[in-house]
Amino acid sequence: NAGVTQTPKFRVLKTGQSMTLLCAQDMNHEYMYWYRQDPGMGLRLIHYSVGEGTTAKGEVPDGYNVSRLKKQNFLLGLESAAPSQTSVYFCASRRGVGNQPQHFGDGTRLSIL
Amino acid sequence: AQSVTQLDSHVSVSEGTPVLLRCNYSSSYSPSLFWYVQHPNKGLQLLLKYTSAATLVKGINGFEAEFKKSETSFHLTKPSAHMSDAAEYFCVVPGGYNKLIFGAGTRLAVHP
């Protein structure tokens, strides 16, 4: 019963490098989300998806892209990493009916030098 | 628009004493509300949720919260703190279609 799995757990990048964060859920949830968490700011929504093949912008989408080619996977890409993107990234998923709570992964700690 | 305010950024208690983490919400209607807990280097785990069925909501690990519409509050309590309760706690309200609005968090420290 894995729930929401994020890979990698840690990564250090140089400014300008690109990378992709992977989120996988095994609960057949329709909705998936990417957040970033910074000290004193709670979680801020980057992008989200309401189903396979659909994505939408959240609160802080600039500098990120996402894709949802399969229902169980939601990818977050950084095309050209910047130090301001140093953060902890969380993926979440939930059922698409009603005000259901979101289920979170354990996070990816990303440092941009 | 919906919003939540967590009134304390840090709370420190002794083991065995009560815990009170305060949350006020702003909403034009009676909202759903959640409390999540985040232990170090972990993701967020749902503690409890309010969905208007009952104003006193019981969650996991002995936590409960009471929805008070007149005070626009949803404070989280526990009668007796345990060392394992040390974590960060987030009060959360759905912010419209597909979105959650998070409070800034309250870090709970529990001392022996």
Side-chain angles (χ1 to χ4, degrees), chain B residues 1 4 13 18 20 26 30-31 54 57 78 83 89 92 94 102 111:
Chain B
V4 288
V13 301
L20 170 64
S26 173
S30 185
V57 182
K78 183 174 180 177
M83 296 296 290
Y89 292 80
V92 181
F102 288 80
H111 302 286

Side-chain angles (χ1 to χ4, degrees), chain A residues 83-105:
Chain A
S84 61
Q85 294 177 305
T86 293
S87 188
V88 183
Y89 292 85
F90 288 98
C91 177
S93 71
R94 75 171 182 92
R95 290 182 59 201
V97 179
N99 272 327
Q100 297 296 318
Q102 296 181 11
H103 298 258
F104 287 82

Side-chain angles (χ1 to χ4, degrees), chain A residues 4-6 21-25 32 34 72-75 91-92:
Chain A
V4 179
T5 303
Q6 293 183 232
L21 281 63
L22 172 64
C23 176
Q25 54 95 4
M32 297 186 73
W34 276 107
Q72 64 268 33
N73 295 337
F74 195 29
L75 278 63
C91 177

Side-chain angles (χ1 to χ4, degrees), chain A residues 31 33 37 50 90 102 105 109, chain B residues 32 36 38 41 43 98 100:
Chain A
Y31 297 167
Y33 307 81
Q37 184 179 32
V50 301
F90 288 98
Q102 296 181 11
R109 283 150 185 79
Chain B
S32 296
Y36 281 84
Q38 184 180 27
N41 301 315
N98 288 316
L100 293 180

Side-chain angles (χ1 to χ4, degrees), chain A residues 17-78:
Chain A
Q17 287 185 317
S18 64
M19 79 162 295
T20 300
L21 281 63
L22 172 64
C23 176
Q25 54 95 4
D26 61 3
M27 297 172 281
N28 202 35
H29 285 170
E30 291 82 8
Y31 297 167
M32 297 186 73
Y33 307 81
W34 276 107
Y35 295 90
R36 59 177 290 172
Q37 184 179 32
D38 301 292
M41 302 186 73
L43 274 72
R44 293 181 292 169
L45 182 65
I46 304 172
H47 286 280
Y48 64 98
S49 168
V50 301
E52 183 178 322
T54 70
T55 63
K57 294 180 179 180
E59 183 184 358
V60 288
D62 294 342
Y64 305 96
N65 56 75
V66 288
S67 64
R68 184 109 180 260
L69 300 180
K70 295 183 179 181
K71 185 177 184 179
Q72 64 268 33
N73 295 337
F74 195 29
L75 278 63
L76 178 71
L78 286 72

